[in-house]
Amino acid sequence: MKNLTFACIAACLTILCACSKEPLEEYIPSKNASLTSNFTFKDTTFVMTQRVDSANMLALINTYRSKGCNCGDTWMPPVPPLTWNIRLEKAAWLHSKEMNDSVYMSHTGKNGSTGGDRIRKMGYNWKSYAENLALGILTEKTVVAGWMGSKTHCLAMMNPILKETGIARFRNYWTQEIGLSY
């Protein structure tokens, strides 16, 4: 099982690295980026560190959504932009933290939870959702490029039904939650 987990991680890294032709670059947050945020969940206060620049992430993703793109061999026409949702970001951050702390990478949490379970626990009453994961020393630009270079990740980000997103990283573990709420 441990070898399978590391093989999956290596495959994801290979996919993300192969999809991005740009060199890694130093990330300098915009002046508007909030680098930390506190929130309480189940009587525990978390300090969400290494926050992504939500405006930059939305700009990167919504550029694709506004123009349309090929997701593998499937053409996805332009769709409305996503908006940022802090509840989705918190669920993403907690999942990235759990994967880092437990040294695994999976859409299934250590307790058997799904992305839908995690976002609902953050108070996001979803009608539809998708989750993207990445692992590596990546910038916001390279993680989005990697997801867009993967057919399944791209289809999730280009899904016209989904309206909101929240993305977080904990060290080198990245999680994107995308949803439509009731």
Side-chain angles (χ1 to χ4, degrees), residues 53-122:
D53 182 342
S54 58
N56 186 37
M57 296 298 287
L58 284 173
L60 291 165
I61 295 164
N62 287 333
T63 296
Y64 287 100
R65 286 177 66 95
S66 70
K67 296 176 183 176
C69 67
N70 283 317
C71 293
D73 58 358
T74 303
W75 168 251
M76 297 299 291
V79 293
L82 292 174
T83 58
W84 197 261
N85 184 289
I86 189 70
R87 292 172 191 232
L88 294 176
E89 180 186 10
K90 289 175 183 178
W93 187 85
L94 284 172
H95 190 55
S96 291
K97 181 179 183 327
E98 177 184 288
M99 289 188 297
N100 175 79
D101 293 350
S102 299
V103 193
Y104 80 100
M105 186 168 167
S106 175
H107 292 286
T108 304
K110 293 299 271 185
N111 64 357
S113 65
T114 65
D117 297 329
R118 291 185 289 275
I119 63 178
R120 185 162 280 131
K121 284 182 182 176
M122 287 293 113

Side-chain angles (χ1 to χ4, degrees), residues 113-175:
S113 65
T114 65
D117 297 329
R118 291 185 289 275
I119 63 178
R120 185 162 280 131
K121 284 182 182 176
M122 287 293 113
Y124 190 85
N125 190 17
W126 61 271
K127 188 174 186 178
S128 185
Y129 80 93
E131 180 177 81
N132 288 333
L133 304 177
L135 174 62
I137 303 170
L138 305 166
T139 65
E140 292 166 349
K141 188 175 182 180
T142 57
V143 77
V144 170
W147 283 331
M148 293 307 293
S150 161
K151 183 175 182 173
T152 56
H153 295 92
C154 178
L155 288 171
M157 288 200 293
M158 293 298 295
N159 186 332
I161 294 171
L162 303 176
K163 306 294 183 197
E164 300 175 297
T165 192
I167 303 167
R169 74 180 179 103
F170 190 89
R171 297 198 175 118
N172 296 329
Y173 289 83
W174 295 74
T175 303

Side-chain angles (χ1 to χ4, degrees), residues 2 154 156 177:
K2 192 173 187 180
C154 178
E177 303 292 358

